[in-house]
Amino acid sequence: MQDCVFCKIVENMIPSNKVYEDDTVVAFRDINPMAPVHIIVIPKEHITGANDICPANSGVVAHIFEVIPKIAAAEGVAESGYRIISNCGKDAGQTVSHLHFHILGGTQLPLSLA
Ligand code: AMP
Ligand code: ZN
């Protein structure tokens, strides 16, 4: 996707602070962190959002959920706890139309809308 900022991160066309990468997944620090630990985890494949998860691509979503605990452990929040968020669409405030999962932690997170 030419105009997708996260595809550009996958392709190293724009800089990012990557904390994890394998054949199908990349994770990097959010440019505008909302918590001491704020990591974005994405499939390398462009999937627009949760509405577009289907049998043909759900394997990478499962893989993301295997990777997330490893990142949480590396970031030191596996035991203290963390929140996984995926915003889908306008009312959720999705600003980047490439499926992504926020990992938030390192502090007591607000319980509203959790
Ligand atoms: P969302 O609002 O769920 O679509 O989340 C998009 C997130 O991507 C926001 O938290 C942004 O701060 C983050 N973001 C946008 N551009 C970049 C970038 N170039 N590098 C790292 N994080 C980014
Ligand atoms: Zn993309």
Side-chain angles (χ1 to χ4, degrees), residues 4 7 46 98:
C4 173
C7 282
H46 183 90
H98 182 130

Side-chain angles (χ1 to χ4, degrees), residues 39-104:
I39 307 290
I40 300 286
V41 191
I42 65 170
K44 286 187 170 177
E45 169 189 4
H46 183 90
I47 301 168
T48 300
N51 283 341
D52 294 284
I53 298 171
C54 65
N57 63 28
S58 60
V60 72
V61 179
H63 181 56
I64 283 172
F65 276 83
E66 293 177 7
V67 164
I68 284 173
K70 295 180 185 171
I71 295 170
E75 294 292 320
V77 298
E79 300 307 321
S80 53
Y82 55 94
R83 187 172 294 156
I84 304 163
I85 294 174
S86 187
N87 295 315
C88 181
K90 180 174 67 66
D91 281 0
Q94 183 178 7
T95 58
V96 179
S97 297
H98 182 130
L99 179 66
H100 55 278
F101 297 87
H102 300 253
I103 304 174
L104 293 155

Side-chain angles (χ1 to χ4, degrees), residues 5-6 9 28-32 87 93-96 100 102:
V5 64
F6 286 176
I9 286 175
F28 49 89
R29 297 196 189 282
D30 196 291
I31 203 168
N32 182 26
N87 295 315
Q94 183 178 7
T95 58
V96 179
H100 55 278
H102 300 253

